[in-house]
Amino acid sequence: QRPAPAVSTLKIGGQVTVSGFDAAWPQQALAWRWQALDVSGIDVQPLQRQASVGRIALSGLGVEVGPRPHGVAPPASAASGPAAATTNASWAWRIGQIDVAASAIQVEPQAGQKLPLIGPLKLALSGLDSGAKAAPAKLQFSAADAKQGTVKLGGSVQLAQRQAALDLFTKGMGPGQ
């Protein structure tokens, strides 16, 4: 009797660290940088269409958005482009934890009219899962501005159901404050 054929497997795992990254997109008046990006617990099984990441941590993020040079159109959104091809064989994926710490975000919608500097800013998201029956992911977000204004957002997000239950708290932020 012949043995059953072997099942093909392919597994990619590991971690990635990118330190001291700076980038700019002058045509769109956009610049960003970070001190460290760490992605750990990578487990990708392409033949089974499964991927998971234990943790993504981005620290020291800085973003500057300036006024767009005259005559430069904004980048096209994904919604305005051609429809993406859909397949019946979608990937199952999970991200255990995402942590983002931004030192500063500066926006200048028009020349000479900078909005208040935002920072520090922190985002923590745990338990993101593409599964239809996955437990809700937990979200925590906080930001402050130079005038001691704060905003906090917390709650849960279910991706497959496209639902969120969030609580928002603000203090000293908004027009005229």
Side-chain angles (χ1 to χ4, degrees), residues 6-168:
V7 175
S8 298
T9 61
L10 174 61
K11 185 173 181 175
I12 302 164
Q15 64 184 37
V16 175
T17 299
V18 179
S19 299
F21 180 82
D22 288 285
W25 192 3
Q27 299 86 350
Q28 298 299 328
L30 176 63
W32 65 96
R33 66 194 163 283
W34 68 69
Q35 292 173 352
L37 170 65
D38 294 305
V39 181
S40 59
I42 299 170
D43 180 5
V44 180
Q45 299 176 39
L47 300 178
Q48 285 75 32
R49 302 183 70 80
Q50 296 177 359
S52 69
V53 173
R55 182 169 187 249
I56 300 171
L58 180 62
S59 61
L61 176 66
V63 179
E64 296 175 19
V65 181
R68 191 170 291 112
H70 184 67
V72 175
S77 72
S80 66
T86 58
T87 64
N88 290 335
S90 62
W91 279 66
W93 58 267
R94 176 168 171 52
I95 302 173
Q97 181 73 31
I98 297 174
D99 294 305
V100 177
S103 55
I105 296 179
Q106 180 68 65
V107 178
E108 184 178 358
Q110 297 179 15
Q113 296 182 350
K114 288 185 178 180
L115 297 177
L117 183 71
I118 303 293
L121 178 144
K122 293 182 180 180
L123 169 71
L125 192 54
S126 62
L128 277 178
D129 193 316
S130 67
K133 295 182 181 182
K138 300 296 180 197
L139 169 76
Q140 293 294 320
F141 172 82
S142 65
D145 68 10
K147 296 180 180 181
Q148 306 305 317
T150 58
V151 62
K152 294 181 181 180
L153 180 69
S156 61
V157 178
Q158 288 187 291
L159 296 178
Q161 287 81 14
R162 297 181 181 166
Q163 295 178 341
L166 303 171
D167 293 318
L168 176 65

